[in-house]
Amino acid sequence: MSDHYEVLGVARNATQDEIKKAYRKLARELHPDVNPSPDAQERFKHVTHAYEVLSDPQSRAQYDQGDSTRS
């Protein structure tokens, strides 16, 4: 499983605005309407999932608690 913070390219202490900005930048670059590459399509799915988790404070807190064993 990939790290959601790494997928979006943000620090673990990133603000909600930083997370949203990173997601929008990646979504514009990887969206299937803009980039027809199958690899881009798969990355777009990962980016979207990471954003869904990290953009919700409750989901992010749960993710961070479960993620605390990683280095």
Side-chain angles (χ1 to χ4, degrees):
M1 184 167 142
S2 57
D3 179 66
H4 294 329
Y5 293 100
E6 287 179 19
V7 169
L8 292 177
V10 296
R12 295 195 174 282
N13 62 350
T15 65
Q16 290 297 320
D17 285 341
E18 290 170 330
I19 290 170
K20 182 187 272 187
K21 185 177 179 180
Y23 169 72
R24 287 183 173 175
K25 179 183 179 215
L26 288 168
R28 277 194 305 269
E29 176 181 312
L30 299 171
H31 194 279
D33 289 346
V34 176
N35 190 338
S37 161
D39 181 50
Q41 202 169 23
E42 195 60 33
R43 279 194 61 213
F44 180 75
K45 290 177 189 176
H46 290 291
V47 166
T48 300
H49 177 69
Y51 177 70
E52 288 172 356
V53 171
L54 297 181
S55 66
D56 177 55
Q58 195 171 17
S59 294
R60 184 177 179 180
Q62 285 180 326
Y63 176 76
D64 287 345
Q65 286 177 357
D67 195 45
S68 63
T69 58
R70 289 188 184 181
S71 52

